[in-house]
């Protein structure tokens, strides 16, 4: 990838306003903000779009349930989203609302373009509709939606249709050639197999309710909410308005970030609409996994939502005073100037989510993990490293940082190695690289920490020999230089904390917001640099913080506008545990080495006590075994034995991720599509940073115990219980 600055157009999904924002929305928005900041620092002309999706039947019903007119209802919730992003210092360039008049005009323009090219026709539709997903579904009404499990409704309506079927071959070709890049391979394959399975024409208008954008020329119809919503990515740039400068400059999008449940809308319908209208398609679409919330700590009535506000309020209390607020403020971007407390807390959340959840995979959120990570990585790690080093410099080098005339190769080489691992990502940090990048940075903190412990500069400072002084100067310079580089690398992830460290290092704030590449060569810290006033970066958090956050969540009254969906947000599973799980302590997450347990030795004359060799039917009933189908199977980098699987348990259960130690015996390809047996109520556990939620049943065969997966000879519905 070339280093020359480019334009970079980045989008998040626009979030539904039927319910208030939660930490899942914050996750996507944070990832986007990190990437946007990174691109700006590289000099790219960056446009970062987010916003809210405000039309459709779901919103209309939510507003009715709250007893408020839909516009007033959406105004309130959209305001909550925007306020939250502003509190967090999110550097979006535009916040679009689909009720904006300019958006409405743009959508109607897109409609006319599709119509003029002959891709729209009128027909009658009778079929099933999932209101929660706002999607037409190919399954009988009254049965659960295959995606979200809510009951399907029958719709008989005169509808306009879009000739989606005309784009099947074209889409396959674009995806196969990576012209439309779908990151990563398993999602790409998922989309390809959906398209290869055959595309039916898509109903793109509704006539049984009013809350939407009228179809041009026929205001009995409103435009299908997904066509309306997807169009935001171009209307935000002025498509369909008098001023199309931004559209011409920024479209097509360079990266569209989405959660994995809406990949079909973005990778199939959206490019098809664009192709039909004769517009360029996005360069790349990346889907991330879901945040799962720890069931045991949250109240069901709130649908297991964790609100970002809780985290900001609680962590914000730890924010230390900043001695040079004006200097720090000069580094900060953002539309409003948020409070230091919010910025401090937001940094912690950003770091936590990026470090804890391998991008692309599902991961659990818990307050315990947030607290632990904060103390381990930020308090004991980066924060402590900064305080130790800068305090030693201020005590021992009152005239400013000294620079040794020569370096002992041994001292600096392993830090430089660590730095070069990080600068492997020099020009473009793709979303898929974020986890590796953040992990590399935390390793680098560890390197420098060990370097300090080995050389113990606090001891050297007490010695009076010239030799000790020379080593002290070298160790302090090397550590300060490593901190300078770490601070540059961490800046897009923790903009506020790094701005503070930068000011304490005594460096020019303007540098931290300009082209970073020129700053990342070793040895640029100038001798004589005077430190700013020092103050702690990350104060230690007491364990009571976990309880405080948990209580804040539990005490929160339901949203001011309770809506049917706010207690059970759509699509993403909200729990890591099923009812009854956690009571079993048997086994691990993999099928390996879990063949039948050997029978206890049976003395011939005295019968063994019954409970030693048998279990009661009640004991057996505790184990929940269900039929599942493997829908995703892939290798895990650097893990020879493990495969990451996603299994479908039918419409009544969310899809789940299981890690299984069968990679030496089965290839991912031969597993996809297989119906197997899963123990579903095992407590989830973490392996290689990934959540494994269940275990496959397999028999162990032969001397080496090759696992053979249990399977069925007859057809059997997914989710069926074995008993
Ligand atoms: O789908 N974990 O809006 P939405 C991770 N309006 N990310 C999550 C999440 C979770 N548990 N929950 C939500 C819509 N998200 C449509 C989009 S785009 C033209 C229209 C994030 O309010 C994630 O990015 O249901 C997901 O795709 C998005 O919020 C869905 O938000
Ligand atoms: Mg959703």
């Amino acid at each position: 990838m070339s280093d020359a600055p480019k334009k970079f157009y980045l989008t998040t999904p626009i979030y539904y306003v039927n319910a208030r924002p939660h930490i899942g929305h914050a996750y996507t928005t944070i990832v986007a903000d990190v990437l946007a900041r990174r691109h700006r620092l590289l000099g790219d002309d960056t446009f970062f779009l987010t916003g809210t999706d405000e039309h459709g039947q779901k919103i209309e019903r939510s507003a009715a349930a709250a007893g408020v007119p839909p516009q007033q209802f959406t105004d309130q919730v959209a305001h909550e989203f925007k306020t939250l992003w502003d509190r967090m210092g999110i550097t979006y360039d535009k916040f679009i609302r689909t009720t904006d008049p300019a958006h409405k005009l743009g959508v109607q323009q897109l409609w006319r373009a599709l119509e003029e090219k002959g891709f729209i026709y009128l027909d009658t539709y009778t079929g099933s509709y999932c209101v929660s997903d706002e999607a037409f579904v190919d399954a009988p009404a009254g049965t659960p939606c295959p995606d979200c499990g809510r009951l399907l409704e029958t719709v008989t309506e005169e509808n306009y249709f879009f000739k989606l079927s005309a784009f099947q071959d074209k889409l396959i070709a674009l995806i196969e050639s990576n012209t439309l890049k779908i990151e990563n391979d398993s999602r790409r394959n998922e989309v390809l197999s959906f398209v290869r399975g055959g595309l039916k024409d898509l109903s793109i208008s509704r006539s049984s309710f009013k809350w939407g954008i009228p179809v041009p020329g026929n205001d009995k119809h409103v435009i299908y909410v997904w066509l309306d919503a997807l169009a935001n990515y171009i209307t935000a740039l002025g498509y369909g308005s008098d001023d199309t400068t931004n559209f011409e400059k920024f479209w097509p999008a360079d990266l569209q970030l989405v959660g994995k449940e809406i990949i079909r809308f973005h990778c199939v319908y959206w490019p098809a609409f664009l192709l039909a209208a004769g517009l360029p398609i996005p360069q790349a679409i990346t889907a991330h996994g879901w945040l799962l919330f720890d069931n045991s700590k949250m109240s069901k009535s709130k649908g297991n939502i964790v609100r970002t506000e809780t985290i900001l309020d609680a962590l914000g209390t730890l924010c230390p005073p900043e001695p040079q607020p004006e200097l720090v403020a000069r580094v900060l971007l953002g539309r409003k100037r948020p409070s230091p407390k919010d910025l401090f807390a937001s940094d912690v959340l950003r770091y936590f989510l990026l470090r804890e959840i391998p991008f692309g995979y599902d991961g659990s959120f818990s307050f315990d993990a947030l607290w632990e990570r904060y103390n381990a990585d930020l308090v004991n790690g980066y924060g402590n490293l900064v305080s130790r080093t800068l305090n030693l410099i201020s005590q021992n080098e009152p005239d400013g940082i000294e620079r040794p005339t020569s370096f002992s190769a041994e001292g600096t080489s392993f830090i430089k190695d660590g730095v070069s691992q990080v600068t492997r990502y020099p020009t473009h940090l793709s979303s898929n690289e974020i986890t590796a990048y953040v992990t590399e940075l935390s390793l680098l903190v560890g390197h420098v920490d060990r370097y300090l412990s080995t050389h113990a500069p606090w001891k050297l400072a007490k010695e009076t020999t010239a030799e000790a002084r020379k080593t002290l100067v070298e160790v302090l310079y090397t550590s300060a230089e490593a901190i300078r580089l770490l601070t540059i690398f961490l800046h897009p992830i923790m903009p506020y904390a790094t701005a503070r460290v930068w000011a304490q290092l005594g460096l020019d704030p303007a540098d931290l917001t300009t082209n970073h590449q020129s700053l990342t060569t070793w040895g640029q810290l100038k001798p004589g640099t005077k430190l700013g006033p020092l103050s702690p970066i990350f104060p230690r958090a007491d364990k009571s913080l976990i309880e405080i956050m948990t209580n804040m969540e539990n005490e929160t009254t339901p949203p001011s506008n309770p809506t049917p969906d706010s207690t059970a947000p759509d699509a993403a599973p909200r729990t890591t545990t099923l009812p009854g799980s956690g009571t079993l302590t048997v086994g691990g997450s993999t099928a390996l080495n879990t063949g039948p347990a050997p029978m206890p030795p049976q003395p011939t004359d005295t019968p063994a006590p019954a409970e030693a060799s048998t279990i009661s039917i009640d004991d057996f009933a505790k184990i929940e075994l269900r039929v599942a189908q493997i829908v995703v199977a892939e290798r895990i980098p650097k893990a020879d034995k493990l495969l990451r699987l996603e299994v479908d348990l039918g419409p009544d259960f969310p899809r789940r991720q299981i890690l299984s130690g069968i990679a030496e015996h089965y290839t991912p390809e031969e597993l996809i599509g297989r119906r197997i047996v899963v123990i579903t109520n095992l407590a989830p556990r973490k392996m290689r940073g990934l959540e494994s939620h269940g275990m496959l049943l397999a028999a162990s065969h032969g001397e080496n115990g090759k696992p053979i997966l249990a399977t069925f000879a007859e057809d059997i519905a997914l989710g069926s219980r074995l008993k």
Side-chain angles (χ1 to χ4, degrees), residues 101-116 120 212-219 221-223 227-228 231 235 239-240:
H103 170 78
K104 294 185 194 169
L105 292 175
V107 172
Q108 289 176 327
Q109 162 103 351
L110 179 62
W111 178 282
R112 279 192 295 267
L114 299 176
E115 201 167 39
E116 275 159 24
I120 292 183
I213 301 174
V215 166
N218 184 353
D219 59 14
H221 288 249
V222 293
I223 296 174
L227 172 55
D228 166 350
T235 62
Y239 172 85

Side-chain angles (χ1 to χ4, degrees), residues 206-483:
R206 301 292 310 276
S207 51
S208 59
F209 64 95
K210 283 272 149 233
W211 185 240
I213 301 174
V215 166
N218 184 353
D219 59 14
K220 286 210 292 287
H221 288 249
V222 293
I223 296 174
Y224 174 44
V225 64
W226 269 102
L227 172 55
D228 166 350
L230 288 162
N232 92 88
Y233 301 130
I234 55 176
T235 62
L237 298 176
Y239 172 85
S241 79
D242 294 343
D243 182 0
T244 55
T245 326
N246 274 339
F247 179 64
E248 274 138 37
K249 179 166 161 195
F250 287 107
W251 190 256
D254 297 270
L255 181 63
Q256 304 214 261
L257 268 182
V258 295
K260 65 181 182 182
E261 79 287 356
I262 52 176
I263 194 128
R264 194 200 315 159
F265 297 96
H266 284 81
C267 299
V268 181
Y269 303 163
W270 177 225
F273 294 146
L274 291 165
L275 290 169
L279 297 170
I281 58 168
Q283 305 277 337
I285 296 168
T286 293
H288 61 67
W290 287 330
L291 295 193
L292 310 170
F293 306 135
D294 190 345
N295 192 27
S296 54
K297 301 270 192 327
M298 310 278 160
S299 126
K300 266 254 165 71
S301 69
K302 286 192 288 299
N304 262 350
I305 288 167
V306 176
R307 295 169 323 116
T308 311
E309 289 86 343
T310 294
I311 293 166
L312 297 184
D313 291 343
L315 284 174
T317 59
L318 297 172
C319 177
E322 168 50 48
Q324 307 181 89
E326 281 316 308
L327 215 56
V328 171
R330 279 167 55 197
V331 180
L332 300 171
L333 304 165
R335 303 182 68 84
K336 302 254 169 67
R337 187 171 299 174
S339 84
K341 281 182 170 29
D342 285 343
L343 289 174
F344 170 91
S346 173
D347 274 4
V348 177
L349 178 64
R350 292 163 75 100
Y351 178 85
F352 171 76
L353 291 175
L354 297 185
R355 179 76 182 87
E356 189 82 7
I357 292 152
F359 187 88
Y361 298 97
D362 292 355
S364 272
F365 178 86
S366 75
F367 291 128
D368 293 55
L370 175 64
W371 171 79
E372 248 176 69
R373 222 4 127 191
Y374 173 71
N375 277 341
D377 284 27
L378 297 181
V379 179
N380 296 342
Y382 179 62
N384 184 37
L385 178 66
V386 170
S387 301
R388 279 210 286 180
T389 307
L390 300 195
N391 277 310
L392 281 165
I393 292 175
S394 94
Q395 286 155 19
N396 293 286
E397 300 180 341
D399 298 328
I401 292 166
E402 291 176 35
R403 183 186 187 141
T405 41
S406 64
F407 286 92
S408 53
E410 157 283 317
T412 41
S413 65
F414 81 120
I415 294 184
K416 285 190 190 164
D417 283 352
V419 169
S420 68
Q421 288 303 312
V422 183
T423 47
R424 279 188 306 154
Y425 309 92
T427 54
H428 165 85
L429 184 62
S430 79
S431 44
N432 289 320
E433 288 167 335
I434 280 192
T435 308
Y437 178 80
V438 182
T439 308
E440 213 67 78
L441 286 172
S442 73
L443 291 177
L444 181 55
V445 171
H447 277 332
V448 187
D449 227 24
R450 271 190 301 283
Y451 171 78
L452 273 185
S453 304
T454 310
H455 292 280
W458 45 92
K459 283 191 194 148
L460 293 171
K462 292 192 185 120
E463 294 178 26
T464 47
T465 62
E467 194 54 30
R469 178 71 197 179
K470 184 167 177 286
T471 314
L472 177 67
V473 167
E474 176 178 344
V475 172
L476 293 182
Y477 183 86
T478 303
S479 309
E481 179 59 356
I483 290 171

Side-chain angles (χ1 to χ4, degrees), residues 16 25 58 132-133 226 261-262 569-572 574:
Y16 284 130
H25 305 115
K58 167 156 78 175
S132 174
D133 290 347
W226 269 102
E261 79 287 356
I262 52 176
D570 53 313
R574 302 298 155 175

Side-chain angles (χ1 to χ4, degrees), residues 591-596 660-667 670-671 674 697-710:
L592 261 194
N593 307 324
T594 54
S660 184
I662 54 174
E664 289 171 325
H665 306 284
Y666 287 96
T667 62
E670 64 187 319
L671 287 172
R674 285 197 49 172
L697 270 202
S700 169
H701 177 71
E703 270 179 20
N704 303 331
K706 172 175 164 42
I708 306 282
L709 288 176

